[in-house]
Amino acid sequence: EAQVTQNPRYLITVTGKKLTVTCSQNMNHEYMSWYRQDPGLGLRQIYYSMNVEVTDKGDVPEGYKVSRKEKRNFPLILESPSPNQTSLYFCASSLTSGHPYEQYFGPGTRLTVT
Amino acid sequence: KQEVTQIPAALSVPEGENLVLNCSFTDSAIYNLQWFRQDPGKGLTSLLLIQSSQREQTSGRLNASLDKSSGRSTLYIAASQPGDSATYLCASAGGTSYGKLTFGQGTILTVHP
C-alpha cells in the first residue's frame, strides 16, 4: 500500500530534550516536506526537500533541523524543544518534475513539550 | 510572501445543496493549486490539483477552477452529503521557490441531514 508513515504518532516530552520524528514513504517520491498545524494559524511549512541531499527552509524553520540521506526518509529533528513547538506535525511527499505534484500526507504526530 | 485566504471560514448547509468554497492568493506566480480535505484528528487527503496551465479539474461531484490572473480558485461541491462534512484546505505551490507550499486556513463544512 502506498503510504507516508510517521513515528511516533503521539509524543510528550520536556523542554530541551532532543527528539526526532521519523517520516518514511514507499512511493519513490523525490519531494518531501514537513508542516506544523496550529489552531488559528493553519498549516505552515517547516522544511522541504526536492531530492536526496537537497533541503530548503519553509516559512517556520527556526528550532528545527532536517536531513535527507535516503530518498524514502525525511526525519525532523528538534535539538532543544520548547513549549512553543507543541503542535500537530505532518509529513508529506510527492513526485516532482520541476515542481511538486499531488501531495500525500502522513497521519500526523501530536507533540507536546512541557 | 504568498498569502492564501479562504472564505468562508465555516459553512453549514442542508444535505443536497450545491456549494462553493473560495480560495484567493496574492502571488499569481504559482505552479499549481491543490485542494485537500481534512477530517477531525486526521491527516490531509488530496482532492484535486490544478496545474498553472489548467483552468479546472473535476473528480466526481467535485470541480475546482483556477484563475491565476485574479488570484482565485473555487471548489464546487455538487449535491452535498453529510459525509462531505470536513475541513477543506487549499494550498498554492510556487512563488519564490517551487518547493514552497502555502496553505489557507481552511473552510469548515458541515452538511446536515
Side-chain angles (χ1 to χ4, degrees):
Chain A
E1 179 189 356
Q3 60 182 351
V4 179
T5 56
Q6 295 178 228
N7 282 293
R9 295 288 315 281
Y10 302 90
L11 179 60
I12 301 174
T13 190
V14 295
T15 299
K17 186 176 180 182
K18 180 179 179 180
L19 66 91
T20 299
V21 184
T22 65
C23 173
S24 182
Q25 48 92 7
N26 63 0
M27 296 169 279
N28 201 36
H29 284 169
E30 296 93 348
Y31 178 95
M32 296 185 75
S33 184
W34 277 103
Y35 304 88
R36 60 178 289 175
Q37 186 174 34
D38 302 288
L41 296 175
L43 268 155
R44 294 176 293 169
Q45 192 172 35
I46 303 171
Y47 270 97
Y48 62 94
S49 169
M50 298 299 286
N51 214 324
V52 176
E53 302 290 2
V54 180
T55 62
D56 208 345
K57 295 177 181 179
D59 290 321
V60 289
E62 297 79 17
Y64 303 95
K65 283 178 57 177
V66 293
S67 67
R68 187 88 182 276
K69 293 183 170 51
E70 309 167 278
K71 201 171 192 179
R72 64 182 294 124
N73 296 323
F74 190 44
L76 179 70
I77 303 159
L78 283 71
E79 294 269 4
S80 183
S82 62
N84 64 13
Q85 292 178 299
T86 292
S87 186
L88 179 58
Y89 291 86
F90 289 103
C91 178
S93 72
S94 80
L95 283 170
T96 177
S97 59
H99 56 84
Y101 277 70
E102 182 180 3
Q103 299 253 324
Y104 293 83
F105 277 72
T109 294
R110 187 167 293 281
L111 172 65
T112 302
V113 184
T114 62
Chain B
K1 180 183 176 183
Q2 178 74 289
E3 292 182 7
V4 178
T5 304
Q6 290 187 245
I7 295 173
L11 184 62
S12 181
V13 300
E15 181 176 6
E17 276 208 3
N18 301 324
L19 54 98
V20 175
L21 307 181
N22 297 292
C23 172
S24 62
F25 45 94
T26 55
D27 185 351
S28 62
I30 64 171
Y31 290 92
N32 62 53
L33 192 292
Q34 193 166 1
W35 283 92
F36 296 88
R37 168 187 173 135
Q38 185 176 26
D39 293 289
K42 300 287 182 64
L44 278 70
T45 301
S46 178
L47 297 173
L48 291 165
L49 182 145
I50 312 174
Q51 300 293 352
S52 61
S53 58
Q54 298 174 318
R55 295 298 300 270
E56 65 179 310
Q57 282 284 342
T58 298
S59 176
R61 294 182 294 107
L62 305 179
N63 175 276
S65 66
L66 176 64
D67 184 344
K68 281 182 58 178
S69 61
S70 66
R72 293 181 182 178
S73 176
T74 61
L75 179 67
Y76 175 83
I77 302 176
S80 59
Q81 304 170 356
D84 294 330
S85 298
T87 298
Y88 290 81
L89 297 141
C90 67
S92 69
T96 56
S97 167
Y98 47 69
K100 289 198 66 171
L101 259 72
T102 305
F103 280 81
Q105 297 246 8
T107 294
I108 302 171
L109 173 65
T110 303
V111 181
H112 47 88

